[in-house]
Amino acid sequence: NLYFSLGLGDPLPISALHGKGVADLLDVIVDRLRKLDKVKRGQGVADDSALKIAILGRPNAGKSSLVNKLLRQNRMIVDAAPGTTRDAIDSELTYNDHRVVLIDTAGLRKKSQVKDNVEYYSNLRALGSIQRSDVCILLVDAVAGLGEQDLKILDKILEFNKGSILAWNKWDIVEKDSKTFDRLSADVKKQYAELRNRPILSISALTGLRINMVLEQAFRIKEKMHYKVPSKEFSDKVYNWTRLNPHPISGGKDVRILAGKQRPAEYPLFIFYASNFKNVVPSYKRYLINKIYENYDFEGCPVRVSFRPPGRRTHQ
């Protein structure tokens, strides 16, 4: 009764020594933080005009060091031990008279490596940071190389339809010659299809090498995310793409792409109207996406395509 009389809501019994009840406590904390975030957005605290950049990567990739260098001041805890940054922290800077919000996040770990409740919620916060961002920087330790977890992080970025940049960090300590970066970029794009249309930069968060290029690329991607292609020009291109490479017979049915147009969205979204649209094969979907990338400057943007029956054109 004493605890209820404090007026702080229902008390939560926990044991710090044995960890009992701690997960329930963290659930309540995260729920309160989400409600607080919604209230702040409702009060106009968030500024949609600012470029919001989420900096992601495996633990110890140098995320906080990059933020520190961009801010020109030590706003984060930087430590050699992986897992120092436990939560997402927003910092602001002005670049060429434009506001930038940097979202520094805990390193996303594999589920098998998330050994305690704090890291579990840190991973959730990192995913929330992707959702809040305009553009995500996937920071990779150039010495350690690209790993499976890096690709899983990229998958999450693309899943949330966010702009993305791959930045090789610690480039200052890589043994290299004048062609090392070009070879590495070509090899990566050849090996991983999801990286073929992403900007790749080599940087050093420690020395500041090319870190302003990260901001410049991010601004360019945010602008391109909302670029509207000329409708007549796009229609003509779709006609030529499908005439030169018609869709194959699929499931015994003839699939014909009759028209295509861009639809309003927070990212480049294109609708194609086709006969037997449910029979469109994945390889042809990739063909159309590649053609869009080839003809329009959407590097770093997630290009999405969808297929509809012809009769629904006027209702979309």
Side-chain angles (χ1 to χ4, degrees):
N1 290 335
L2 172 62
Y3 298 117
F4 282 100
S5 68
L6 295 175
L8 298 175
D10 294 336
L12 294 167
I14 69 167
S15 170
L17 179 62
H18 300 290
K20 292 183 178 179
V22 174
D24 292 333
L25 174 62
L26 287 171
D27 281 331
V28 172
I29 292 172
V30 171
D31 183 60
R32 296 284 176 88
L33 288 172
R34 285 173 178 163
K35 289 179 180 177
L36 179 62
D37 188 49
K38 288 181 181 178
V39 170
K40 286 183 177 179
R41 288 201 300 269
Q43 293 173 344
V45 174
D47 181 2
D48 289 336
S49 66
L51 170 63
K52 293 177 284 295
I53 301 176
I55 301 176
L56 300 127
R58 286 182 286 170
N60 213 29
K63 299 180 294 299
S64 295
S65 296
L66 176 58
V67 173
N68 287 342
K69 202 69 176 182
L70 288 169
L71 292 172
R72 298 295 191 269
Q73 58 184 0
N74 291 324
R75 291 281 295 275
M76 306 293 168
I77 301 171
V78 182
D79 192 280
T84 301
T85 309
R86 291 289 196 174
D87 206 351
I89 307 171
D90 291 2
S91 301
E92 292 190 14
L93 61 89
T94 301
Y95 183 75
N96 290 340
D97 296 325
H98 296 287
R99 281 187 62 235
V100 179
V101 176
L102 301 176
I103 309 170
D104 180 48
T105 63
L108 279 165
R109 294 174 179 268
K110 295 180 181 179
K111 289 183 179 179
S112 61
Q113 294 177 345
V114 177
K115 298 178 181 178
D116 58 49
N117 289 320
V118 174
E119 288 203 357
Y120 170 76
Y121 283 95
S122 293
N123 270 13
L124 287 184
R125 292 291 289 172
L127 293 176
S129 299
I130 297 174
Q131 289 180 295
R132 291 195 294 119
S133 70
D134 298 309
V135 178
C136 295
I137 311 301
L138 176 55
L139 205 61
V140 177
D141 185 329
V143 177
L146 192 68
E148 178 184 354
Q149 188 65 4
D150 295 310
L151 296 175
K152 289 184 177 180
I153 295 172
L154 180 61
D155 285 342
K156 285 296 178 183
I157 295 170
L158 297 177
E159 179 183 324
F160 289 120
N161 295 315
K162 301 298 180 178
S164 56
I165 298 169
L166 174 65
W168 296 101
N169 190 27
K170 307 180 184 179
W171 196 251
D172 54 308
I173 59 174
V174 172
E175 292 187 8
K176 52 189 174 292
D177 57 34
S178 60
K179 296 183 179 179
T180 301
F181 175 76
D182 291 338
R183 287 196 299 266
L184 179 61
S185 297
D187 289 345
V188 164
K189 291 189 176 188
K190 181 179 180 180
Q191 188 172 357
Y192 304 106
E194 56 269 57
L195 286 170
R196 287 174 190 166
N197 297 294
R198 314 287 146 222
I200 299 179
L201 304 174
S202 57
I203 69 169
S204 171
L206 180 64
T207 67
L209 176 70
R210 285 187 285 272
I211 63 168
N212 282 343
M213 288 185 64
V214 173
L215 297 178
E216 291 168 7
Q217 283 278 13
F219 274 111
R220 186 191 65 79
I221 289 172
K222 183 181 180 181
E223 181 181 355
K224 289 295 182 182
M225 289 282 278
H226 303 284
Y227 175 71
K228 180 72 169 65
V229 304
S231 298
K232 177 63 168 58
E233 177 186 295
F234 185 70
S235 295
D236 292 341
K237 288 184 181 296
V238 170
Y239 173 78
N240 289 327
W241 299 341
T242 56
R243 180 176 60 85
L244 294 173
N245 183 23
H247 191 287
I249 298 294
S250 176
K253 295 183 177 180
D254 182 26
V255 177
R256 289 191 301 128
I257 307 297
L258 303 175
K261 65 189 301 184
Q262 187 176 8
R263 300 300 301 170
E266 293 300 308
Y267 49 88
L269 171 64
F270 297 86
I271 305 297
F272 291 92
Y273 300 94
S275 62
N276 300 311
F277 71 102
K278 292 184 178 180
N279 291 71
V280 174
V281 295
S283 60
Y284 203 80
K285 177 180 177 180
R286 290 193 297 270
Y287 166 73
L288 292 174
I289 290 175
N290 288 336
K291 283 297 182 183
I292 293 171
Y293 275 121
E294 287 173 13
N295 286 269
Y296 299 100
D297 185 15
F298 284 126
E299 186 183 38
C301 303
V303 171
R304 297 287 180 256
V305 298
S306 181
F307 298 89
R308 307 281 175 82
R312 298 178 61 183
R313 267 184 289 177
T314 58
H315 302 293
Q316 299 301 311

